[in-house]
């Protein structure tokens, strides 16, 4: 990683072009500057005019967001996907020419993206635009951290590029994105909801409980899909706005690939890295919110002392602790969970902190943690084998790690739950729940119905009849 003090875009481009000629290879340059406060959602909406893919990440409780437009470079990986991705990211970082006088997380060279839940699962046409692992370095990146805004321009230059022409194009793009004379589009409504074969799904729950009773597994997480037809094409920026407003304490994300957009609001952090410090959180065990404070407190109390939910939660805590101990030192786990409230649901919550040992990276932690017992089951291999054979669903990126990382060893990945894949005026929503030996198929079906609500409400309400 070559840190440069040069601040003029054109002179940086000239330097990179001359190095590309010398080394007969393309060079990535990344240049960050402070800009006036800009609404990241208007930035995302303005990017639509360019007909390029857009990426978005927001940690609503921390007043932090990253909005990306276009793609200066993409990392794709298939077989040993973590190893391949880490190698490619390391190489890109090492060879890039970076100008970033700020040490703010999410500035400098940043990559954003995600991966599929299970790379061994047969991919269907629904997820044709999303590879098993895809990380994008956006061409233009707006980072909002507290009250400060930063713009990063990333561009890959070749030996035959013209610095003046490139600079002109990038400056024009910047002006358009930072001064959008637009409003966010209006909201859409839901015309029709279609449950996908409910009775077959309930039957699968019964198979899972039988499988568990025979001691092949302790817990299996089963997901299902809800198909939604919208009144018009959904505007990503407007859906994101509603998710941010309605889902506090969540990570709001969007990843576009060739016009299809996977987005959601996940309360579940997988791992956060700040230099050597890492933080993972266990969010397992779910109950609805109450209509009054008294009812809410009563539900929270019974969730805290409910045997099924506590044992489900303890599975996950134990697994996270063991995973962290593999790569970290000073692993710290509280004795018992607390309640983590969201708009429609409340969960049991335990944070796990640690210090990353040398030689290891966020990729190692992700590989070790995913899928957590909250999304796969226990033991991992047996539950995944059951899911592959019986779930009849291509989860795609649902339930998988999505997030970002920067060239200063900061990053954060969440588990992509409470999410959906939007394709024009259609959406496929996903929800799952943990099956144990005494699970009731009708109750589990009802629980997944509650978990669809965050996405249904931002797409036009959750009260329409299913067909």
């Amino acid at each position: 990683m070559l840190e440069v003090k040069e601040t003029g875009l054109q002179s940086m481009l000239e330097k990179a072009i001359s190095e590309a000629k010398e080394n007969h290879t393309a060079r990535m340059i990344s240049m960050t500057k402070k800009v006036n406060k800009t609404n990241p959602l208007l930035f995302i909406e303005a990017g639509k005019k360019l007909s390029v893919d857009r990426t978005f990440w927001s940690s609503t409780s921390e007043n932090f967001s990253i909005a990306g437009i276009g793609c200066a470079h993409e990392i794709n990986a298939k077989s040993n996907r973590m190893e391949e991705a880490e190698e490619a990211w390391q190489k890109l970082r090492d060879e890039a020419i970076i100008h970033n006088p700020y040490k703010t997380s999410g500035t400098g060279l940043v990559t954003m993206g995600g991966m599929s839940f299970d790379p061994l699962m047969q991919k269907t046409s629904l997820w044709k635009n999303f590879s098993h692992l895809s990380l994008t370095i956006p061409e233009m990146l707006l980072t909002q951290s507290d009250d400060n805004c930063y713009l990063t321009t990333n561009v890959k230059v070749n030996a035959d590029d013209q610095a003046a022409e490139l600079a002109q194009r990038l400056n024009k793009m910047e002006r358009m994105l930072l001064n959008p004379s637009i409003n966010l589009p209006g909201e859409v409504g839901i015309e029709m909801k279609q449950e996908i074969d409910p009775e077959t799904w309930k039957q699968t729950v019964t198979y899972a409980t039988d499988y568990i009773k025979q001691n092949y597994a302790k817990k299996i997480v089963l997901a299902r899909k809800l198909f939604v037809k919208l009144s018009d094409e959904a505007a990503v920026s407007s859906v994101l706005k509603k998710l941010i407003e309605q889902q506090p304490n969540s990570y709001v994300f969007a990843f576009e690939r060739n016009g299809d957009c996977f987005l959601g609001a996940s309360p579940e952090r997988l791992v956060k890295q700040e230099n050597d410090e890492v933080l993972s959180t266990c969010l397992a065990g779910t109950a609805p919110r109450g209509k009054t404070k008294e009812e809410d407190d009563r539900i929270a109390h019974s969730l805290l002392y409910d045997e099924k939910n506590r044992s489900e939660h303890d599975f996950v805590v134990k697994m996270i602790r063991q995973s962290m101990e593999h790569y970290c030192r000073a692993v710290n786990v509280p004795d018992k969970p607390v309640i983590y409230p969201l708009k429609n649901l409340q969960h049991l919550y335990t944070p796990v902190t640690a210090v990353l040992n040398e030689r290891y990276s966020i990729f190692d932690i992700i590989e070790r943690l995913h899928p957590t017992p909250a999304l796969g089951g226990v033991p991992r291999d047996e539950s995944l084998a059951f899911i592959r054979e019986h779930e009849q669903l291509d989860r795609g990126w649902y339930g998988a790690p999505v997030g970002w990382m920067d060239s200063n060893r900061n990053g954060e990945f969440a588990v992509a739950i409470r999410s959906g894949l939007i394709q024009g005026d259609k959406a496929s929503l996903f929800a799952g729940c943990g099956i144990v030996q005494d699970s009731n198929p009708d109750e589990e079906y009802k629980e997944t119905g509650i978990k669809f609500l965050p996405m249904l409400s931002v797409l036009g309400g959750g009260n329409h009849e299913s067909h």
Side-chain angles (χ1 to χ4, degrees):
M1 178 163 66
L2 178 63
E3 288 276 2
V4 293
K5 291 200 162 48
E6 183 59 71
T7 54
L9 177 61
Q10 188 163 328
S11 51
M12 269 188 80
L13 289 166
E14 282 162 359
K15 178 182 170 55
I17 290 166
S18 107
E19 286 191 18
K21 280 176 183 157
E22 236 170 81
N23 304 320
H24 307 289
T25 179
R27 291 303 302 265
M28 172 69 73
I29 72 164
S30 177
M31 182 173 163
T32 303
K33 63 182 180 182
K34 222 168 182 182
V35 292
N36 292 334
K37 202 165 179 188
T38 304
N39 182 338
L41 295 175
L42 288 179
F43 186 83
I44 283 285
E45 182 56 32
K48 193 170 197 285
K49 291 182 185 170
L50 299 169
S51 301
V52 291
D53 287 339
R54 298 165 293 169
T55 43
F56 183 83
W57 174 273
S58 172
S59 175
T60 50
S61 61
E62 293 165 338
N63 197 13
F64 174 80
S65 62
I66 313 175
I69 306 294
C71 175
H73 183 77
E74 189 176 4
I75 294 169
N76 280 296
K78 287 178 185 163
S79 43
N80 301 320
R81 54 186 188 168
M82 293 301 166
E83 216 175 288
E84 280 181 34
E86 179 165 17
E87 219 171 273
W89 171 237
Q90 190 68 51
K91 186 175 189 298
L92 188 74
R93 223 177 60 176
D94 290 348
E95 295 175 359
I97 301 170
I98 297 174
H99 170 73
N100 179 18
Y102 315 98
K103 292 301 170 211
T104 305
S105 274
T107 62
L109 194 66
V110 173
T111 187
M112 306 172 74
M115 58 203 76
S116 59
F117 176 79
D118 181 1
L120 299 181
M121 193 70 185
Q122 186 64 43
K123 205 155 77 143
T124 65
S125 61
L126 182 70
W127 292 94
K128 67 180 186 297
N129 292 326
F130 290 78
S131 62
H132 280 306
L133 183 147
S134 167
L135 296 168
T136 298
I137 289 87
E139 197 166 25
M140 290 275 171
L141 187 86
L142 182 76
T143 306
Q144 183 220 321
S145 183
D146 293 325
D147 287 330
N148 296 313
C149 268
Y150 307 87
L151 182 78
T152 301
T153 301
N154 299 306
V155 61
K156 205 180 217 182
V157 299
N158 294 294
D160 52 359
D161 280 331
Q162 300 298 314
E165 279 175 25
L166 259 181
Q168 195 179 358
R169 179 179 74 78
L170 292 165
N171 285 328
K172 186 181 173 189
M173 187 175 172
E174 178 189 318
R175 282 195 301 274
M176 191 199 101
L177 294 170
L178 290 182
N179 305 297
S181 51
I182 51 169
N183 297 312
L184 292 184
E187 295 167 10
V188 295
I190 292 176
E191 282 190 351
M192 184 265 284
K193 291 191 301 185
Q194 185 185 355
E195 304 274 353
I196 312 295
D197 212 346
E199 294 315 311
T200 303
W201 191 83
K202 289 179 197 175
Q203 186 65 57
T204 308
V205 173
T206 305
Y207 291 151
T209 55
D210 291 344
Y211 191 76
I212 292 163
K213 282 170 190 164
Q214 291 166 43
N215 289 323
Y216 292 123
K218 290 181 180 173
K219 174 189 171 188
I220 294 166
V221 178
L222 291 176
R224 68 183 182 97
K225 183 174 90 170
L226 177 69
F227 176 77
V228 177
K229 174 79 171 66
L230 305 169
S231 57
D232 203 348
E233 198 169 299
V236 170
S237 53
S238 297
V239 176
L240 289 173
K241 180 175 186 282
K242 289 186 82 173
L243 283 171
I244 289 166
E245 288 167 355
Q246 293 186 18
Q247 299 301 323
N249 297 337
S250 292
Y251 300 100
V252 174
F253 58 86
F255 300 97
E256 258 184 341
R257 294 290 183 273
N258 295 326
D260 290 357
C261 187
F262 178 58
L263 52 68
S266 172
E268 189 167 345
R269 173 195 286 124
L270 187 68
V271 61
K272 178 179 188 173
Q273 179 181 10
E274 288 178 332
N275 294 311
D276 295 335
E277 291 179 15
V278 286
L279 163 67
S280 184
T281 43
C282 167
L283 208 68
T286 305
R289 296 298 303 267
K291 289 185 171 63
T292 62
K293 186 175 185 321
E294 290 73 20
E295 188 191 12
D296 203 43
D297 290 345
R298 186 171 46 75
I299 293 169
H301 185 269
S302 60
L303 176 61
L304 269 174
Y305 294 97
D306 177 73
E307 204 180 313
K308 175 185 178 284
N309 278 298
R310 275 299 285 269
S311 89
E312 188 180 326
H313 187 84
D314 292 343
F315 274 148
V316 186
V317 173
K318 191 177 167 190
M319 176 270 195
I320 291 175
R321 180 204 288 272
Q322 289 169 346
S323 301
M324 289 293 213
E325 284 170 347
H326 209 77
Y327 297 117
C328 304
R329 59 189 187 278
V331 179
N332 186 339
V333 187
D335 294 335
K336 54 182 196 285
V338 294
I339 292 292
Y340 194 82
L342 297 164
K343 187 182 179 191
N344 314 88
L345 303 165
Q346 45 191 328
H347 300 281
L348 295 175
Y349 168 86
T350 301
V352 181
T353 57
V355 178
L356 197 59
N357 290 330
E358 280 177 41
R359 302 195 323 279
Y360 295 122
S361 75
I362 197 169
F363 286 106
D364 294 305
I365 303 280
I366 292 168
E367 184 160 37
R368 194 82 187 178
L369 288 177
H370 173 72
T372 68
L375 269 299
V378 179
R380 181 185 285 178
D381 291 346
E382 286 75 1
S383 53
L384 284 178
F386 184 93
I387 290 165
R388 275 179 210 125
E389 192 177 341
H390 296 284
E391 196 173 64
Q392 298 176 327
L393 171 70
D394 178 5
R395 292 190 184 190
W397 282 24
Y398 163 73
V402 294
W404 63 273
M405 59 193 135
D406 68 24
S407 47
N408 289 321
R409 299 182 71 230
N410 303 301
E412 188 156 33
F413 281 76
V415 179
I417 54 175
R418 317 284 192 269
S419 55
L421 179 64
I422 294 179
Q423 298 167 302
D425 62 353
K426 300 177 184 69
S428 300
L429 311 185
F430 303 90
C433 54
I435 310 302
V436 291
Q437 66 175 16
D438 56 354
S439 288
N440 174 307
D442 290 320
E443 288 303 312
E444 300 296 346
Y445 189 76
K446 224 178 274 178
E447 185 180 317
T448 53
I450 294 169
K451 288 174 176 175
F452 283 129
L453 289 175
M455 282 301 299
L456 283 172
S457 64
V458 298
L459 290 174
N463 304 317
H464 298 70
E465 289 300 311
S466 300
H467 299 284

